[in-house]
Structures are given as C-alpha cells and as structure tokens.
Amino acid sequence: MFQTILVSEALPVVTVTINRPSKLNALNAEVIGELTAAFQALEAAPAEARVRCVILTGAGDKAFVAGADIAEMSTLSAAQAYAFSSAGHRLGRLMEEVSFPIIAAVNGFALGGGCELALCADYIFASERAKFGQPETNLGLMPGFGGTQRLSRRVGLGRARELVYAGEPISAGQALAIGLVNRVVSPEDLMPQAQQHGQRIAEQAPLAVASSKRALNRGFDTDLTAACELEATAFGALFATNDAREGLTAFLAKRGAAYKAS
C-alpha cells in the first residue's frame, strides 16, 4: 500500500517506520502524504481493531528523519513551498488530534523536518546516538513544519531561539536536559522501551487516554479557567461510558479491568 513507510499489523501497539534509509529517511511530499494517510486509516479503524498507541521511527540506525529532502525542495517555487509546508502542518495537526498517543522513537538524526515531526508526537524516546536540531537557517530558510511554534512550547522561547537562529544540533543528553525529549536510552533498548511503554498505555482505558490527550493538547494554549472547564466537561462525559463503569467496578472488586472503548 505504501512506498515510503512501513506500518506493522501488530495490535494494539502499531509501529510506523519511515523507510527511506538510503536518503536518511528524509521527508518529501510522498512521505508526508503516506504518513497522513496511515494515521487517518489507523484513526478510522473499527473498535475491534482499535489502535491504542503508535510508535513512530525511522529505518536503519543512522536517522529518524535527517530533515526534508533538499533535492526536492531546491526546485520548489514560493507557492509550492507554501503547499509543502501546509501539508506538513496538516500532518502535525492530525498526529495531535488522533485519539491514540504517539511515541517518537528517535534512533539517530532528527534534524529540521525530522525534529519537527518528532515534536508532533506526544513524547519522544531517544537513542544515545540521536541528534536534534533546526538547521534551516544554514540553508537560507526557516523551520516550515511547526518548528518555530512546537519547539518553543516544548523547551521555552529562549532555548528555541538558540536552536533556530544558530542552526546547531544538540545531543540526546542535551535534548533531555532542556525537556525536548522524555527519555534517553541505549540504541539497543530504544524500541524495546518504546514497545514496553506503548503496551502500558494499551492497558489503560482507551477513551480515558483519548480524552486526556484532547484535554492536554487543547487546554495547553487556553486560559486556565477555560482549560479547567474543558477538563471538567471531559471528566463528566467519561462517566457515561462503559469503560468508566468497568474501571470503577473492577477496582472495587480488586480485579483487572477489561476495557472495550465504549
């Protein structure tokens, strides 16, 4: 079905792999289009095939995504560049709006569009070999897939300015220190730890996880009063679900809960 990505069939934790290792998994229009189609399909899956978590990674051991495809970008007109950027932004919004959490498992370079793609995930696990950066100013450009916005929200405006203006990459350890990534592990432990955490998420009530993701993302840039009202509304709505009744009943009965996303 796809030419540039691989989608595992294992449920409930699905792995999506950007599969252009000879190009260091660089993003082009085809990759962005296929990632968009894949996440749309995963979100539209029926309840019995519901995805509980997605791990997003890159093929090979050198790069998560080394950036956008420079050869393709070099031929773009201003209008085409705007369309390319808009497609990247649509993918980012989709990743934030799907009901399941996304873990970016960064196995190597995450530069430019690769860093921006990782920032669209709910959080980032990084190999000790990973490198992060927004080097677009070295090319006479600027971040175009949300880097000036998501990066500053993740690490603060001052750190974001430093990374964007100077265009210098940072190590996984530095990324952890400034809050860009959530966890740094050895290269061989990256996917096992991402899978283990994904399975932990999969054990939780899926409607509760989806509601929590929605509240966190929508409330983050909202004033506190409105954000707390959003939370209260979502909290109340969960009490009308079978999953909430199952979770409360199972706790009182001292047994494991069997959630059905209903």
Side-chain angles (χ1 to χ4, degrees), residues 58-190:
D61 59 4
K62 293 183 179 179
F64 170 72
V65 170
D69 191 320
I70 304 301
E72 182 176 288
M73 282 205 309
S74 67
T75 66
L76 298 180
S77 67
Q80 290 169 329
Y82 173 79
F84 186 48
S85 175
S86 295
H89 282 287
R90 286 193 295 274
L91 171 60
R93 287 193 298 272
L94 174 63
M95 291 172 63
E96 290 171 338
E97 290 171 359
V98 292
S99 58
F100 45 82
I102 301 169
I103 302 171
V106 177
N107 49 316
F109 293 116
L111 304 175
C115 186
E116 292 169 296
L117 182 65
L119 286 166
C120 297
D122 290 273
Y123 38 83
I124 303 170
F125 286 6
S127 159
E128 293 167 340
R129 292 199 296 245
K131 297 283 185 182
F132 296 84
Q134 298 292 163
E136 288 88 350
T137 56
N138 293 313
L139 302 174
L141 300 172
M142 62 176 285
F145 294 156
T148 62
Q149 304 306 310
R150 290 188 181 90
L151 184 61
S152 60
R153 286 163 170 78
R154 184 75 67 102
V155 304
L157 188 56
R159 294 289 191 183
R161 284 170 172 157
E162 185 177 349
L163 288 167
V164 172
Y165 296 172
E168 294 179 343
I170 60 174
S171 68
Q174 291 170 306
L176 180 65
I178 65 174
L180 176 55
V181 307
N182 297 77
R183 191 178 299 184
V184 176
V185 300
S186 66
E188 58 271 18
D189 286 338
L190 178 63

